[in-house]
Amino acid sequence: MNAIYSQNFFITLMFAVQFLMGIFLYVNSLLIFTFFKKEIFRTSNRYILFSHTLICDSMFLVVTNIFFTLDMTQTPIPPFLCIILCGIAVNLHTTTPLTLTAMSVERYVAICMPLRHAELATLQKAGLCILIIHAISSILTLTVLFMFLATASLNFYAKYLMCNAELLAVYKWQGHVRSIFYLVYFIVMTVTIVFTYISIVQVAKKASADKKATSKARKTVLLHAFQLFLSLIQMLCPFLEQAVLEIDVNLYISLRTFDYIVFLLAPRCLSPLIYGLRDEHFYLVLKYYALWGLNKKMSPVIVDL
């Protein structure tokens, strides 16, 4: 009886997660569609970085959902496919925090260095910034993959296996190296965001004009700091889950599902949505397409910015 109850519970849980995943991906897809629909968004550094966050988050959600589904259904996959999925997941895990940091720096330049903003905020600089973000993320990914390939036995490639990112750490010291990378990344990103926030606050106290823009920039940086905090929690979750696994398997599955929904799915959809809603122009266009253009009261001049 308990086995049947447990099986029904996990089936219901899996379908609930897939339903939430569908909603989150739809919202992110709507935000991405809104970005590409209007030229004013495609030619602004701020919106380009925002769309990069949306695309990376959507890809990360898809990859982690594959992990979740395989884990819940106990489905083994070929080792090389597992290595590819793990490499993508490790890379995408850091691209969003790095992009948030870049967005905070962009707001800092716009408020604290307005005369240089036009010079620095170009499409070429935005493309270069995205390349740098992926290059920095790839340092960790390549390091993790190199350590794994150098230490994994040939037996690993001989059979199908249950895939998760922890498989890339054959020895404990490899997990420690990855944690050190994460720690360095987050210290640098946190210091950068704190510096930009303090600088914007100082300018806000001195500025006599455009206080609305300065206040909005300050709140935007705070939002990025909150998103970075959630990313830090995501980094700590595997350690707690591993400790719980040694105590009770069912509790481990429940905790892992809770962490997946609360600290991974929700922040990577709700935070971008909040960011989009806070922007007046983006919100108007998003609202228009979210309602499939049925809102006749909305001015087409505004929509066609």
Side-chain angles (χ1 to χ4, degrees), residues 60 63-64 67 82-98 136-145 164-166 168 178 181-182 185 268:
F60 186 74
V63 173
T64 54
F67 283 128
C82 178
I83 292 173
I84 293 173
L85 289 174
C86 289
I88 295 173
V90 171
N91 188 274
L92 292 175
H93 187 264
T94 52
T95 52
T96 293
L98 287 170
I136 295 174
S137 296
S138 297
I139 294 174
L140 171 61
T141 306
L142 294 176
T143 301
V144 170
L145 290 177
N164 62 73
E166 301 306 314
L168 295 182
R178 186 176 62 182
F181 267 98
Y182 279 135
Y185 280 171
R268 288 182 180 266

CSV table of all heavy atoms in Angstrom, one decimal, residues 60 63-64 67 82-98 136-145 164-166 168 178 181-182 185 268:
chain,number,residue,atom,x,y,z
A,60,PHE,N,18.8,26.5,-19.6
A,60,PHE,CA,19.1,25.8,-18.3
A,60,PHE,C,17.9,25.1,-17.7
A,60,PHE,O,18.1,24.0,-17.2
A,60,PHE,CB,19.6,26.9,-17.3
A,60,PHE,CG,20.1,26.3,-16.0
A,60,PHE,CD1,21.4,25.7,-16.0
A,60,PHE,CD2,19.4,26.4,-14.8
A,60,PHE,CE1,21.8,25.1,-14.8
A,60,PHE,CE2,19.8,25.9,-13.7
A,60,PHE,CZ,21.1,25.2,-13.6
A,63,VAL,N,17.5,21.8,-19.7
A,63,VAL,CA,18.5,20.8,-19.4
A,63,VAL,C,18.3,20.2,-18.0
A,63,VAL,O,18.3,19.0,-17.8
A,63,VAL,CB,20.0,21.4,-19.5
A,63,VAL,CG1,21.0,20.4,-18.9
A,63,VAL,CG2,20.3,21.8,-20.9
A,64,THR,N,18.0,21.1,-17.0
A,64,THR,CA,17.8,20.6,-15.7
A,64,THR,C,16.5,19.8,-15.6
A,64,THR,O,16.3,18.8,-14.8
A,64,THR,CB,17.7,21.7,-14.7
A,64,THR,OG1,16.7,22.7,-15.1
A,64,THR,CG2,19.0,22.4,-14.5
A,67,PHE,N,17.3,16.3,-16.5
A,67,PHE,CA,17.9,15.6,-15.4
A,67,PHE,C,16.8,15.2,-14.4
A,67,PHE,O,16.8,14.0,-13.9
A,67,PHE,CB,18.9,16.5,-14.6
A,67,PHE,CG,20.2,16.7,-15.3
A,67,PHE,CD1,20.7,17.9,-15.6
A,67,PHE,CD2,21.0,15.6,-15.6
A,67,PHE,CE1,22.0,18.1,-16.2
A,67,PHE,CE2,22.2,15.7,-16.2
A,67,PHE,CZ,22.7,16.9,-16.5
A,82,CYS,N,25.4,11.9,-21.2
A,82,CYS,CA,25.4,12.4,-19.8
A,82,CYS,C,26.5,13.5,-19.6
A,82,CYS,O,26.2,14.6,-19.0
A,82,CYS,CB,25.6,11.3,-18.8
A,82,CYS,SG,25.6,11.9,-17.1
A,83,ILE,N,27.7,13.2,-20.2
A,83,ILE,CA,28.8,14.2,-20.0
A,83,ILE,C,28.4,15.5,-20.7
A,83,ILE,O,28.7,16.6,-20.2
A,83,ILE,CB,30.1,13.6,-20.6
A,83,ILE,CG1,30.6,12.4,-19.7
A,83,ILE,CG2,31.2,14.6,-20.7
A,83,ILE,CD1,31.7,11.7,-20.3
A,84,ILE,N,27.8,15.4,-21.9
A,84,ILE,CA,27.4,16.6,-22.7
A,84,ILE,C,26.4,17.4,-21.9
A,84,ILE,O,26.5,18.6,-21.8
A,84,ILE,CB,26.9,16.2,-24.1
A,84,ILE,CG1,28.0,15.6,-24.9
A,84,ILE,CG2,26.3,17.4,-24.8
A,84,ILE,CD1,27.5,15.0,-26.2
A,85,LEU,N,25.4,16.7,-21.4
A,85,LEU,CA,24.3,17.4,-20.6
A,85,LEU,C,24.9,18.1,-19.3
A,85,LEU,O,24.6,19.2,-19.0
A,85,LEU,CB,23.2,16.5,-20.2
A,85,LEU,CG,22.3,16.0,-21.3
A,85,LEU,CD1,21.4,14.9,-20.8
A,85,LEU,CD2,21.5,17.1,-21.9
A,86,CYS,N,25.8,17.4,-18.7
A,86,CYS,CA,26.4,18.0,-17.5
A,86,CYS,C,27.3,19.2,-17.8
A,86,CYS,O,27.3,20.2,-17.1
A,86,CYS,CB,27.3,16.9,-16.8
A,86,CYS,SG,26.3,15.6,-16.0
A,87,GLY,N,28.0,19.1,-18.9
A,87,GLY,CA,28.9,20.2,-19.3
A,87,GLY,C,28.0,21.5,-19.6
A,87,GLY,O,28.4,22.6,-19.2
A,88,ILE,N,26.9,21.3,-20.3
A,88,ILE,CA,26.0,22.4,-20.6
A,88,ILE,C,25.4,23.0,-19.3
A,88,ILE,O,25.4,24.2,-19.2
A,88,ILE,CB,24.9,21.9,-21.6
A,88,ILE,CG1,25.4,21.5,-22.9
A,88,ILE,CG2,23.8,23.0,-21.7
A,88,ILE,CD1,24.4,20.9,-23.8
A,89,ALA,N,25.0,22.1,-18.4
A,89,ALA,CA,24.4,22.6,-17.2
A,89,ALA,C,25.4,23.4,-16.3
A,89,ALA,O,25.1,24.4,-15.8
A,89,ALA,CB,23.9,21.4,-16.4
A,90,VAL,N,26.6,22.9,-16.2
A,90,VAL,CA,27.7,23.6,-15.5
A,90,VAL,C,27.9,25.0,-16.1
A,90,VAL,O,28.1,26.0,-15.4
A,90,VAL,CB,29.0,22.8,-15.4
A,90,VAL,CG1,30.1,23.6,-14.8
A,90,VAL,CG2,28.7,21.5,-14.6
A,91,ASN,N,28.0,25.0,-17.4
A,91,ASN,CA,28.3,26.3,-18.1
A,91,ASN,C,27.1,27.3,-17.9
A,91,ASN,O,27.4,28.4,-17.5
A,91,ASN,CB,28.5,26.0,-19.6
A,91,ASN,CG,29.0,27.3,-20.3
A,91,ASN,OD1,28.2,28.1,-20.7
A,91,ASN,ND2,30.3,27.4,-20.4
A,92,LEU,N,25.9,26.8,-18.1
A,92,LEU,CA,24.7,27.7,-18.0
A,92,LEU,C,24.5,28.1,-16.5
A,92,LEU,O,23.8,29.2,-16.3
A,92,LEU,CB,23.5,27.0,-18.5
A,92,LEU,CG,23.5,26.8,-20.0
A,92,LEU,CD1,22.2,26.0,-20.4
A,92,LEU,CD2,23.5,28.1,-20.8
A,93,HIS,N,25.0,27.4,-15.6
A,93,HIS,CA,24.7,27.7,-14.2
A,93,HIS,C,25.4,29.0,-13.8
A,93,HIS,O,24.9,29.7,-12.9
A,93,HIS,CB,25.3,26.6,-13.3
A,93,HIS,CG,24.9,26.7,-11.8
A,93,HIS,ND1,25.8,27.3,-10.9
A,93,HIS,CD2,23.8,26.4,-11.1
A,93,HIS,CE1,25.3,27.4,-9.7
A,93,HIS,NE2,24.1,26.8,-9.8
A,94,THR,N,26.5,29.4,-14.5
A,94,THR,CA,27.2,30.6,-14.1
A,94,THR,C,26.9,31.8,-15.1
A,94,THR,O,27.3,32.9,-14.8
A,94,THR,CB,28.7,30.3,-14.0
A,94,THR,OG1,29.1,29.7,-15.2
A,94,THR,CG2,29.0,29.5,-12.9
A,95,THR,N,26.4,31.5,-16.3
A,95,THR,CA,26.2,32.5,-17.2
A,95,THR,C,25.2,33.6,-16.8
A,95,THR,O,25.4,34.8,-17.0
A,95,THR,CB,25.7,32.0,-18.6
A,95,THR,OG1,24.6,31.1,-18.4
A,95,THR,CG2,26.8,31.2,-19.3
A,96,THR,N,24.1,33.2,-16.1
A,96,THR,CA,23.1,34.1,-15.7
A,96,THR,C,23.6,35.1,-14.6
A,96,THR,O,23.5,36.3,-14.7
A,96,THR,CB,21.8,33.4,-15.2
A,96,THR,OG1,21.2,32.7,-16.3
A,96,THR,CG2,20.8,34.4,-14.5
A,97,PRO,N,24.3,34.6,-13.5
A,97,PRO,CA,24.9,35.5,-12.5
A,97,PRO,C,25.9,36.4,-13.2
A,97,PRO,O,25.9,37.6,-12.8
A,97,PRO,CB,25.5,34.5,-11.5
A,97,PRO,CG,24.8,33.3,-11.6
A,97,PRO,CD,24.4,33.1,-13.1
A,98,LEU,N,26.7,35.9,-14.1
A,98,LEU,CA,27.7,36.8,-14.7
A,98,LEU,C,27.0,37.9,-15.6
A,98,LEU,O,27.4,39.0,-15.6
A,98,LEU,CB,28.6,36.0,-15.6
A,98,LEU,CG,29.6,35.1,-14.9
A,98,LEU,CD1,30.3,34.1,-15.8
A,98,LEU,CD2,30.7,36.0,-14.2
A,136,ILE,N,34.4,33.1,-19.5
A,136,ILE,CA,34.6,33.0,-18.1
A,136,ILE,C,33.9,31.7,-17.6
A,136,ILE,O,34.4,31.0,-16.8
A,136,ILE,CB,34.1,34.2,-17.3
A,136,ILE,CG1,35.0,35.4,-17.7
A,136,ILE,CG2,34.2,34.0,-15.8
A,136,ILE,CD1,34.5,36.7,-17.1
A,137,SER,N,32.6,31.5,-18.1
A,137,SER,CA,31.9,30.3,-17.7
A,137,SER,C,32.6,29.1,-18.1
A,137,SER,O,32.5,28.0,-17.4
A,137,SER,CB,30.4,30.4,-18.2
A,137,SER,OG,29.7,31.5,-17.7
A,138,SER,N,33.2,29.1,-19.3
A,138,SER,CA,33.8,27.9,-19.9
A,138,SER,C,35.0,27.5,-19.1
A,138,SER,O,35.5,26.4,-19.2
A,138,SER,CB,34.2,28.2,-21.4
A,138,SER,OG,33.0,28.4,-22.1
A,139,ILE,N,35.7,28.5,-18.4
A,139,ILE,CA,36.9,28.1,-17.6
A,139,ILE,C,36.5,27.0,-16.6
A,139,ILE,O,37.2,26.0,-16.5
A,139,ILE,CB,37.4,29.3,-16.9
A,139,ILE,CG1,37.9,30.4,-17.9
A,139,ILE,CG2,38.5,28.9,-15.9
A,139,ILE,CD1,38.4,31.7,-17.3
A,140,LEU,N,35.4,27.2,-15.9
A,140,LEU,CA,34.9,26.2,-14.9
A,140,LEU,C,34.5,24.9,-15.6
A,140,LEU,O,34.9,23.8,-15.2
A,140,LEU,CB,33.8,26.8,-14.1
A,140,LEU,CG,33.1,25.8,-13.2
A,140,LEU,CD1,34.0,25.2,-12.2
A,140,LEU,CD2,31.9,26.4,-12.5
A,141,THR,N,33.7,25.1,-16.7
A,141,THR,CA,33.2,23.9,-17.4
A,141,THR,C,34.4,23.0,-17.9
A,141,THR,O,34.4,21.8,-17.7
A,141,THR,CB,32.3,24.3,-18.6
A,141,THR,OG1,31.3,25.2,-18.1
A,141,THR,CG2,31.7,23.1,-19.3
A,142,LEU,N,35.4,23.6,-18.6
A,142,LEU,CA,36.5,22.9,-19.1
A,142,LEU,C,37.3,22.3,-18.0
A,142,LEU,O,37.8,21.1,-18.2
A,142,LEU,CB,37.3,23.8,-20.0
A,142,LEU,CG,36.6,24.3,-21.3
A,142,LEU,CD1,37.6,25.3,-22.0
A,142,LEU,CD2,36.3,23.1,-22.2
A,143,THR,N,37.5,23.0,-16.9
A,143,THR,CA,38.2,22.4,-15.8
A,143,THR,C,37.6,21.2,-15.2
A,143,THR,O,38.2,20.2,-15.0
A,143,THR,CB,38.4,23.5,-14.7
A,143,THR,OG1,39.1,24.7,-15.2
A,143,THR,CG2,39.2,22.9,-13.5
A,144,VAL,N,36.2,21.3,-15.0
A,144,VAL,CA,35.5,20.1,-14.5
A,144,VAL,C,35.6,19.0,-15.4
A,144,VAL,O,35.8,17.8,-15.0
A,144,VAL,CB,34.0,20.6,-14.2
A,144,VAL,CG1,33.2,19.3,-13.9
A,144,VAL,CG2,34.0,21.6,-13.1
A,145,LEU,N,35.4,19.2,-16.7
A,145,LEU,CA,35.4,18.1,-17.7
A,145,LEU,C,36.8,17.5,-17.8
A,145,LEU,O,36.9,16.3,-18.0
A,145,LEU,CB,34.9,18.6,-19.1
A,145,LEU,CG,33.4,19.0,-19.2
A,145,LEU,CD1,33.1,19.6,-20.6
A,145,LEU,CD2,32.5,17.8,-18.9
A,164,ASN,N,23.6,12.6,-13.4
A,164,ASN,CA,23.4,13.9,-12.7
A,164,ASN,C,24.8,14.5,-12.7
A,164,ASN,O,25.8,13.9,-12.9
A,164,ASN,CB,22.9,13.7,-11.3
A,164,ASN,CG,23.8,12.8,-10.4
A,164,ASN,OD1,24.9,13.2,-10.0
A,164,ASN,ND2,23.4,11.5,-10.2
A,165,ALA,N,24.8,15.8,-12.4
A,165,ALA,CA,26.1,16.6,-12.5
A,165,ALA,C,27.1,16.1,-11.5
A,165,ALA,O,28.3,16.4,-11.7
A,165,ALA,CB,25.7,18.1,-12.3
A,166,GLU,N,26.7,15.5,-10.4
A,166,GLU,CA,27.7,15.0,-9.4
A,166,GLU,C,28.6,13.9,-9.9
A,166,GLU,O,29.6,13.7,-9.3
A,166,GLU,CB,26.9,14.6,-8.1
A,166,GLU,CG,26.0,15.6,-7.5
A,166,GLU,CD,26.8,16.9,-7.2
A,166,GLU,OE1,27.9,16.8,-6.7
A,166,GLU,OE2,26.3,18.0,-7.5
A,168,LEU,N,30.4,14.0,-12.4
A,168,LEU,CA,31.6,14.6,-12.9
A,168,LEU,C,32.7,14.7,-11.8
A,168,LEU,O,33.9,15.0,-12.1
A,168,LEU,CB,31.4,16.0,-13.5
A,168,LEU,CG,30.5,16.0,-14.8
A,168,LEU,CD1,30.3,17.4,-15.3
A,168,LEU,CD2,31.0,15.1,-15.8
A,178,ARG,N,35.7,22.5,-7.8
A,178,ARG,CA,34.5,23.1,-8.3
A,178,ARG,C,33.9,24.1,-7.4
A,178,ARG,O,33.5,25.3,-7.8
A,178,ARG,CB,33.4,22.1,-8.7
A,178,ARG,CG,32.2,22.7,-9.4
A,178,ARG,CD,31.3,21.6,-9.9
A,178,ARG,NE,30.8,20.8,-8.7
A,178,ARG,CZ,29.9,19.8,-8.8
A,178,ARG,NH1,29.6,19.3,-10.0
A,178,ARG,NH2,29.5,19.2,-7.8
A,181,PHE,N,35.9,27.3,-7.4
A,181,PHE,CA,35.6,28.1,-8.5
A,181,PHE,C,34.3,28.9,-8.3
A,181,PHE,O,34.2,30.1,-8.5
A,181,PHE,CB,35.4,27.3,-9.8
A,181,PHE,CG,36.7,27.1,-10.6
A,181,PHE,CD1,37.5,26.0,-10.5
A,181,PHE,CD2,37.0,28.1,-11.5
A,181,PHE,CE1,38.6,25.9,-11.2
A,181,PHE,CE2,38.1,28.0,-12.3
A,181,PHE,CZ,39.0,26.9,-12.2
A,182,TYR,N,33.3,28.2,-7.8
A,182,TYR,CA,32.0,28.9,-7.5
A,182,TYR,C,32.2,30.0,-6.5
A,182,TYR,O,31.6,31.1,-6.6
A,182,TYR,CB,31.0,27.9,-7.0
A,182,TYR,CG,30.3,27.1,-8.1
A,182,TYR,CD1,30.1,25.7,-7.9
A,182,TYR,CD2,29.8,27.7,-9.2
A,182,TYR,CE1,29.5,25.0,-8.9
A,182,TYR,CE2,29.2,26.9,-10.2
A,182,TYR,CZ,29.0,25.6,-10.0
A,182,TYR,OH,28.4,24.8,-11.0
A,185,TYR,N,33.9,33.0,-8.1
A,185,TYR,CA,33.0,33.7,-9.0
A,185,TYR,C,32.0,34.6,-8.2
A,185,TYR,O,31.8,35.7,-8.5
A,185,TYR,CB,32.1,32.6,-9.8
A,185,TYR,CG,32.8,32.1,-11.0
A,185,TYR,CD1,32.3,31.0,-11.7
A,185,TYR,CD2,34.0,32.6,-11.5
A,185,TYR,CE1,32.9,30.4,-12.8
A,185,TYR,CE2,34.7,32.0,-12.6
A,185,TYR,CZ,34.1,31.0,-13.2
A,185,TYR,OH,34.7,30.4,-14.3
A,268,ARG,N,14.4,31.7,-11.9
A,268,ARG,CA,14.8,31.8,-13.2
A,268,ARG,C,13.7,32.2,-14.2
A,268,ARG,O,13.9,32.5,-15.4
A,268,ARG,CB,15.6,30.6,-13.8
A,268,ARG,CG,16.9,30.4,-13.1
A,268,ARG,CD,17.7,29.2,-13.6
A,268,ARG,NE,19.0,29.1,-13.0
A,268,ARG,CZ,20.1,29.6,-13.4
A,268,ARG,NH1,20.1,30.2,-14.6
A,268,ARG,NH2,21.2,29.4,-12.8
